[in-house]
Amino acid sequence: PYTFGWTLNGGALAPTSTQTDTNNASVLANALDGAYLVTATNTVTGCPVTRNIQLILDPSRSTPNIIDVSAVD
């Protein structure tokens, strides 16, 4: 199992971002554009691995989720 630590542009994650961790994975939801640094640390050996991720969102490629709900009598 691992523990995960994230930073955004050298500081804390945005308040809108949520981090969900499992034993071997970490997922950020509602992430903003920026330079992310994630460190995964093996809880058995204490060995860390760090990776940089540059996230650039492209709104022109995003498809909005539109839900139309109609009441039926």
Side-chain angles (χ1 to χ4, degrees):
Y2 296 85
T3 58
F4 299 91
W6 291 86
T7 62
L8 170 60
N9 299 323
L13 295 176
T16 56
S17 297
T18 55
Q19 178 180 343
T20 305
D21 298 339
T22 61
N23 283 337
N24 297 319
S26 183
V27 176
L28 285 183
N30 300 315
L32 303 177
D33 288 47
Y36 287 86
L37 181 76
V38 61
T39 301
T41 304
N42 184 312
T43 58
V44 175
T45 65
C47 293
V49 174
T50 301
R51 293 290 183 260
N52 295 306
I53 302 163
Q54 183 68 38
L55 180 63
I56 301 171
L57 300 176
D58 183 357
S60 67
R61 296 186 62 172
S62 243
T63 305
N65 292 323
I66 301 173
I67 300 172
D68 184 13
V69 178
S70 301
V72 178
D73 289 334

